């Protein structure tokens, strides 16, 4: 259990991509980390794009992100909502400043764009937001997973095995 004692935030909002939330959450948990789902309200049940529910443990303002070791941002349409919360942007900026692992997949890059942390970074995402990522100052690669320092990014659900492993590897380093 190489991630025992590690704590991870998994951000959630309506219409998250079901696999892109739950696969990394389960992958990190099976290595021993504690994962908390964090949304705009504590105890709220959010529904994924394909109907899978996720109930938040905490609200953004209820947590001290400094007590966590990493953050996972799912794709789907949730990132377009998540990027509008200052609490989310604060979590992402704090994790970035502390050099803690930030995992993002598919459309989750929108959250990192709004947090303004992509300048000079190398990432991937769904090809649909490639221009957005590049316009935010990132170098975009068409690869299943890209690791740049503490940023771990992936394109879409078929990339989940490589993404889950890369995120766990990065979390184990800290």
């Amino acid at each position: 259990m190489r991630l025992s004692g590690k704590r991870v935030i998994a951000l959630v909002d309506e219409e998250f991509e079901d696999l892109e939330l739950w696969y990394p959450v389960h992958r990190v948990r099976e290595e021993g980390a504690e994962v908390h789902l964090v949304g705009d309200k504590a105890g709220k049940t959010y529904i994924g794009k394909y109907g899978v529910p996720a109930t938040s443990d905490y609200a953004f303002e209820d947590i001290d992100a400094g007590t966590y070791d990493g953050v996972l941002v799912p794709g789907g349409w949730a990132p377009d909502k998540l990027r509008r919360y200052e609490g989310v942007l604060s979590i992402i900026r704090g994790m970035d400043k502390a050099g803690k692992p930030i995992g993002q997949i598919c459309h989750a890059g929108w959250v990192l764009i709004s947090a303004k942390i992509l300048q000079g970074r190398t990432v991937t995402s769904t090809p649909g937001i490639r221009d957005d990522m590049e316009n935010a100052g990132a170098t975009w690669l068409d690869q299943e997973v890209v690791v740049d320092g503490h940023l771990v990014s992936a394109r879409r659900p078929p990339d989940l095995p490589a993404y889950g492993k890369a995120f766990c590897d990065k979390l184990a380093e800290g």
Side-chain angles (χ1 to χ4, degrees), residues 11 16-17 20-21 71-83 88-89 92 102-115 117-118 123-126 129 132-133 152-156 163:
L11 298 173
F16 59 88
E17 207 296 338
E20 293 171 358
L21 173 70
V71 62
L72 290 164
V73 187
W77 302 124
D80 192 36
K81 297 169 181 65
L82 290 167
R83 69 193 294 181
V88 168
L89 301 180
I92 297 298
I102 299 171
Q104 66 96 14
I105 184 168
C106 199
H107 286 86
W110 279 337
V111 177
L112 280 63
I113 289 167
S114 292
I117 67 164
L118 290 181
V123 295
T124 194
S125 66
T126 180
I129 66 166
D132 301 330
M133 302 290 273
V152 179
S153 56
R155 298 172 301 190
R156 55 182 74 93
Y163 172 63

